[in-house]
Amino acid sequence: MLRIHMSGADLSRVRMATRPDAMWETILSLHRLRDRRGSTVFGKWRRESRARLNGEVRLLSAVVPPRGYFPDFLTPSGGGAEPFGLDAGMEALRDTPEDRIRQEIGLLAGSATRARRSSGALPETLAEGRTEPLGRLIPALRAYHRAAVEPYWPHIRASVEADRAVRGRALLDGGADELLATLPPMIRWRAPVLEADYPVDRELRLDGRGLLLQPSYFCRGTPVVYRDPDLPPVLVYPVTHPGAPASAEPGPWLGRLVGHTRSVVLRSIGNGCTTSELARRTGVSLASASQHACVLREAGLVRTLRHGSSVLHTLTPLGAALLRGGAPVAVS
């Protein structure tokens, strides 16, 4: 069980990450790649990603075991709600102090035999405080990200943005208490403690630092926090998965978007709305609003998540790009 103790000051400093974190998604996806569970969501992604990989998993497994602890420095935090993109994250990783690398790699000592078998002396040289092994680790992380994460980034970002819309709505409706109460079922808000299912017993005291909530596509089952309690407090938790990751490549369904009414519906969804709100904004019936939202969802332009007794529609990056006139969706 994880218990995060929050004061009134901490509650006032709860904030949502503005987008997915490239480093967290990269490391957590490595767990999913080696995990046989969740085949409905991750099965097709695993097959496609493995076909593009070329030995990176073997090297990275030396510092990212299939389960349990992995070094905190692999997922650097900027301390704010704006997560690192891949380039900034890699630079922060490269700048990790030697003593911190030595300390955190030392915690992997229990898996030294497996590490040597998988990639030679990488963990040992890092544990000695030598940073030149980062010259092997960082290119491997980049190559792995290009093969397993980058092709699916629009879908990952859409999932996180949809989750943010749900949490943001809860925050507007009932404040931070309501926001924390709507987190996934494995996380329970019992003021003043946020409890979560966790592999080990852990007490985390925020001491006025607040908490950053980071939704993650590749997080599964239980949330994740830094092992080092002195690092900026971040709670990484899984988003709801209505479907498997898909690319944003256009298909024949785009022809279904032709028409004034559906264009109005897409614009009206904007930063998120329920079906009832969509009907009011567009002046169509509830059934018609639901039908249009369904078509847009099938086209990959809209995501729909359930929020209490209603559903919440949000734009995907592809839908937002279409409204911007087809501007490209940046991977960050």
Side-chain angles (χ1 to χ4, degrees), residues 256-257 261-262 265-266 269 273-276 278-279 282 284-304 311-314:
R256 302 174 69 182
L257 299 178
T261 301
R262 198 155 293 150
V265 168
L266 189 63
I269 288 175
C273 65
T274 65
T275 306
S276 297
L278 182 61
T282 56
V284 300
S285 68
L286 190 64
S288 180
S290 178
Q291 181 183 19
H292 285 303
C294 180
V295 172
L296 294 171
R297 183 170 62 251
E298 290 173 354
L301 303 175
V302 166
R303 279 182 64 85
T304 301
V311 295
L312 182 66
H313 308 289
T314 60

Side-chain angles (χ1 to χ4, degrees), residues 139-258:
L141 277 171
R142 283 189 178 277
Y144 174 83
H145 178 90
R146 284 195 300 268
V149 179
E150 185 175 296
Y152 308 94
W153 194 255
H155 186 92
I156 293 167
R157 200 170 85 178
S159 298
V160 169
E161 289 178 352
D163 185 274
R164 271 177 46 83
V166 171
R167 310 304 162 207
R169 202 172 187 86
L171 182 65
L172 290 173
D173 290 346
D177 278 291
E178 181 70 14
L179 166 61
L180 295 175
T182 64
L183 291 173
M186 79 286 295
I187 305 171
R188 298 165 292 278
W189 174 232
R190 294 170 178 165
V193 179
L194 189 64
E195 297 181 350
D197 298 338
Y198 209 66
V200 297
D201 281 335
R202 177 85 188 276
E203 306 284 336
L204 178 59
R205 300 186 183 279
L206 302 183
D207 297 327
R209 294 174 294 170
L211 182 66
L212 175 64
L213 300 175
Q214 177 67 65
S216 167
Y217 187 86
F218 286 108
C219 184
R220 182 186 184 277
T222 61
V224 185
V225 295
Y226 287 127
R227 188 184 191 279
D228 185 349
D230 293 330
L231 290 173
V234 179
L235 181 69
V236 182
Y237 67 89
V239 300
T240 301
H241 287 290
S247 69
E249 292 298 320
W253 34 258
L254 278 178
R256 302 174 69 182
L257 299 178
V258 177

Side-chain angles (χ1 to χ4, degrees), residues 22-238:
M23 300 300 288
W24 277 110
E25 297 298 348
T26 299
I27 298 300
L28 292 175
S29 72
L30 186 58
H31 284 288
R32 302 289 78 78
L33 192 75
R34 295 171 294 178
D35 186 356
R36 295 182 179 179
R37 296 171 295 175
S39 58
T40 301
V41 175
F42 299 112
K44 182 173 182 288
W45 165 79
R46 287 189 187 110
R47 292 190 299 272
E48 294 175 350
S49 297
R50 285 170 180 160
R52 288 189 290 263
L53 289 165
N54 187 28
E56 293 86 0
V57 174
R58 185 170 178 269
L59 176 64
L60 297 177
S61 293
V63 291
V64 185
R67 61 186 61 85
Y69 170 77
F70 58 84
D72 290 335
F73 70 78
L74 293 174
T75 52
S77 170
E82 185 71 16
F84 280 134
L86 184 66
D87 290 338
M90 292 297 178
E91 285 303 312
L93 173 56
R94 193 185 304 277
D95 293 339
T96 306
E98 293 182 5
D99 58 345
R100 180 180 171 189
I101 294 176
R102 185 164 52 247
Q103 179 184 5
E104 294 185 7
I105 289 294
L107 296 173
L108 292 174
S111 51
T113 300
R114 178 195 54 78
R116 282 194 295 270
R117 183 169 63 246
S118 62
S119 64
L122 179 61
E124 288 86 343
T125 51
L126 285 171
E128 293 168 5
R130 293 159 53 186
T131 56
E132 66 269 19
L134 290 178
R136 296 173 58 198
L137 182 63
I138 290 175
L141 277 171
R142 283 189 178 277
Y144 174 83
H145 178 90
R146 284 195 300 268
V149 179
E150 185 175 296
Y152 308 94
W153 194 255
H155 186 92
I156 293 167
R157 200 170 85 178
S159 298
V160 169
E161 289 178 352
D163 185 274
R164 271 177 46 83
V166 171
R167 310 304 162 207
R169 202 172 187 86
L171 182 65
L172 290 173
D173 290 346
D177 278 291
E178 181 70 14
L179 166 61
L180 295 175
T182 64
L183 291 173
M186 79 286 295
I187 305 171
R188 298 165 292 278
W189 174 232
R190 294 170 178 165
V193 179
L194 189 64
E195 297 181 350
D197 298 338
Y198 209 66
V200 297
D201 281 335
R202 177 85 188 276
E203 306 284 336
L204 178 59
R205 300 186 183 279
L206 302 183
D207 297 327
R209 294 174 294 170
L211 182 66
L212 175 64
L213 300 175
Q214 177 67 65
S216 167
Y217 187 86
F218 286 108
C219 184
R220 182 186 184 277
T222 61
V224 185
V225 295
Y226 287 127
R227 188 184 191 279
D228 185 349
D230 293 330
L231 290 173
V234 179
L235 181 69
V236 182
Y237 67 89

